[in-house]
Amino acid sequence: MPSPFNKPVPNVPFFMPTSPLPPGSAVNLGPSTPTLFTPLKIRSLTFQNRIFVAPMCQYSTSPYLPTIGALTPYHVVTLGQYALKGSSLVFIEATAVTGNGRISPNDSGLWEDRQIEGVRKVCEFVHSVGGKVGIQLAHAGRKASTVAPWLGRERGKSVVTGEDVGGWPGNVVAPSAIAWSKEGYNMPREMTVVEIKEVVEAFAAAARRATLAGVDVIEIHGAHGYLLSSFNSPISNQRSDSYGGSFENRTRICREVICAVRSAIPASTPLFYRITSTEWMEDSPIAKGRGSWDVESSIRFAKLLPELGVDLLDRIMPHTNYQVQIAGRIRRELKISGLPLLIGAVGMITDAEQARDIVQGCDSTDNLGPTAIADAILVARQFMREPEWVLRVAWWLGVEVQWPVQFGRGRFLKGSKI
């Protein structure tokens, strides 16, 4: 007979009932359990399933002191619900390591100690329901000082912010003085070597603050044309010093950031890295003369990461058949080389069968086949539409998973149309 005592989760500053298993855990693991719902161990952490919530910018922090860049109860609610409803790892959005590294004045940040508390509150709640917290550390580079997407801009277009609303149009930096676009973005100034070194240290300092706040996983943002990504590309990086020119020079800041962050966090903490697998510029006129960042560049870069202490490479985008092939190719190249780097797939993952197929069989010894595309998936916008997406995917795939104990009476019924 069950005990009548509603046992609380220990070591959290509020009451939370304990759960037999973390939500989203397969209740009966067996040979027929889809890989998607099998545990994944990375360093000291074990994730109950392979479904992670990708970082999603929310543009919902104050642009002014004393709470500039600090997470609020809004972030506890939005991120907490994903963990409560079964995601094993929930990422806090792209978090700026310097004030001028924000995308918008309303981005979150971790460049000051006063910003630690907001992150700690997110960690406390997510941990209380059995989830893990990741944080994506970022610098927007030449895409900084723009407005939130719902403020006076057409879909897909950007608008710069002025100092009157907390922007910093005169302090946008990049590897070279080349704007992201002729419209909607500020003209950046080229960074000095001293400023580059300061940014490297800023990533390390933010990682230390994240660790103090209780974050479980650190991710470095090296994609989407932001600062680190801009250094990688010979199109946006036209420097002639030790940070430009050759592949080795262009990727130097990325390697320095990785090493600095790895040294700043415990050896038990997993380190992820997000990359743009290709900038799709191979056939452009400028690439004919300068080259571009392509799949071959990503493979070459990926092979450097395990030795630097990176555990998972994220941002291999599987939302078209061609991009599925890119993801599988990168993973295959790593496996052939015997490199222990996990792959996370992200981008337009929306349904159960698609999610299952991306990771199915990735743990088998014969894992070089076409179905072994990634080791985990990172889902973003589908969670905005369906915070309970993990539970729905489990239902569709016929997997019995642990529900939040408080929601037990609300389980999907047999034959339900969901």
Side-chain angles (χ1 to χ4, degrees), residues 320-340:
T320 69
N321 286 336
Y322 179 60
Q323 289 171 329
V324 166
Q325 293 169 12
I326 292 175
R329 178 183 170 189
I330 293 175
R331 188 175 188 275
R332 183 180 181 87
E333 290 282 350
L334 291 166
K335 296 298 180 184
I336 289 173
S337 300
L339 296 172

Side-chain angles (χ1 to χ4, degrees), residues 362-375:
C362 66
D363 292 336
S364 68
T365 54
D366 181 21
N367 58 1
L368 301 182
T371 61
I373 295 165
D375 301 279

Side-chain angles (χ1 to χ4, degrees), residues 118-142:
V119 177
R120 179 181 290 118
K121 289 185 181 299
V122 170
C123 292
E124 286 174 346
F125 184 85
V126 171
H127 290 160
S128 77
V129 297
K132 305 293 191 299
V133 179
I135 193 166
Q136 185 184 69
L137 301 180
H139 191 298
R142 61 185 182 150

Side-chain angles (χ1 to χ4, degrees), residues 13-258:
F14 48 82
F15 182 87
M16 178 66 69
T18 55
S19 176
L21 295 168
S25 302
V27 174
N28 298 300
L29 283 168
S32 63
T33 304
T35 305
L36 190 65
F37 284 96
T38 60
L40 175 63
K41 183 174 174 58
I42 307 178
R43 294 191 182 247
S44 67
L45 300 183
T46 299
F47 304 93
Q48 70 265 31
N49 56 52
R50 311 297 180 100
I51 304 174
F52 302 164
V53 177
M56 292 180 276
C57 291
Q58 299 294 289
Y59 309 99
S60 296
T61 72
S62 172
Y64 303 116
L65 292 171
T67 57
I68 183 171
L71 301 186
T72 73
Y74 169 83
H75 299 90
V76 178
V77 171
T78 53
L79 297 171
Q81 67 177 332
Y82 305 138
L84 178 65
K85 297 177 182 178
S87 177
S88 60
L89 174 62
V90 178
F91 268 101
I92 295 171
E93 64 195 79
T95 301
V97 300
T98 65
N100 70 337
R102 292 169 291 164
I103 302 167
S104 82
N106 300 109
D107 279 23
S108 63
L110 204 48
W111 69 86
E112 294 182 347
D113 288 351
R114 73 180 84 192
Q115 295 159 337
I116 294 173
E117 185 59 23
V119 177
R120 179 181 290 118
K121 289 185 181 299
V122 170
C123 292
E124 286 174 346
F125 184 85
V126 171
H127 290 160
S128 77
V129 297
K132 305 293 191 299
V133 179
I135 193 166
Q136 185 184 69
L137 301 180
H139 191 298
R142 61 185 182 150
K143 296 175 77 174
S145 194
T146 61
V147 303
W150 60 83
L151 295 175
R153 60 189 259 192
E154 298 178 34
R155 181 177 176 84
K157 294 186 178 181
S158 179
V159 175
V160 300
T161 54
E163 294 180 358
D164 57 322
V165 291
W168 53 99
N171 193 26
V172 174
V173 298
S176 301
I178 301 171
W180 172 258
S181 175
K182 293 180 179 179
E183 297 181 358
Y185 292 91
N186 295 286
M187 174 58 70
R189 58 179 175 80
E190 182 174 307
M191 297 175 72
T192 67
V193 172
V194 170
E195 288 175 320
I196 292 172
K197 299 297 185 183
E198 290 173 347
V199 165
V200 171
E201 174 51 34
F203 270 93
R208 286 190 287 268
R209 293 186 183 100
T211 300
L212 288 173
V215 169
D216 302 293
V217 176
I218 305 292
E219 177 169 85
I220 299 168
H221 197 339
H224 303 340
Y226 296 130
L227 185 67
L228 299 185
S229 175
S230 293
F231 268 92
N232 283 345
S233 170
I235 295 175
S236 52
N237 181 353
Q238 300 185 14
R239 302 174 72 96
S240 58
D241 61 7
S242 61
Y243 288 94
S246 66
F247 175 89
E248 181 181 3
N249 284 355
R250 286 183 281 111
T251 60
R252 187 181 305 278
I253 185 175
C254 302
R255 302 195 314 272
E256 290 178 348
V257 166
I258 292 169

